[in-house]
Amino acid sequence: MRTSTDLVRKSGREKGLHDWQQTEGAVKYFMDLFSKAGDLVLEVMMGSGTVLKVARDLKRKTIGIDIDPICIELTKGRLERT
């Protein structure tokens, strides 16, 4: 049985790609908690693409949206490299 907690331990600062970047560990924790493989994840301010990368790694379908062309290119590059 899975238990949840209101404490998320940080896996270290991850701000190398975007000022608002979240850690992959925290995103993975919540994505595992609130979705399952095959679910659709919508990221409306994708920034550097952390949510999209984690979703892909966890076998979720994704839609990413951003109005900043720099963020769009950053995310494309990140997803192509990993």
Side-chain angles (χ1 to χ4, degrees), residues 8-19:
V8 177
R9 300 207 187 279
K10 293 167 60 171
S11 58
R13 184 172 166 84
E14 293 179 21
K15 301 288 183 187
L17 298 173
H18 192 275
D19 289 341

Side-chain angles (χ1 to χ4, degrees), residues 13-23 47-48 71 74:
R13 184 172 166 84
E14 293 179 21
K15 301 288 183 187
L17 298 173
H18 192 275
D19 289 341
W20 291 89
Q21 186 174 347
Q22 301 301 309
T23 63
S48 65
C71 289
L74 183 63

Side-chain angles (χ1 to χ4, degrees), residues 30-71:
F30 286 109
M31 200 170 294
D32 271 339
L33 188 62
F34 294 113
S35 68
K36 61 186 182 305
D39 282 354
L40 177 64
V41 175
L42 173 64
E43 174 61 291
V44 295
M45 290 185 253
M46 65 185 182
S48 65
T50 302
V51 170
L52 298 181
K53 181 193 177 298
V54 171
R56 185 188 63 190
D57 293 348
L58 295 177
K59 311 257 186 285
R60 273 58 167 180
K61 299 171 190 167
T62 61
I63 297 173
I65 301 167
D66 207 298
I67 62 170
D68 185 342
I70 294 171
C71 289

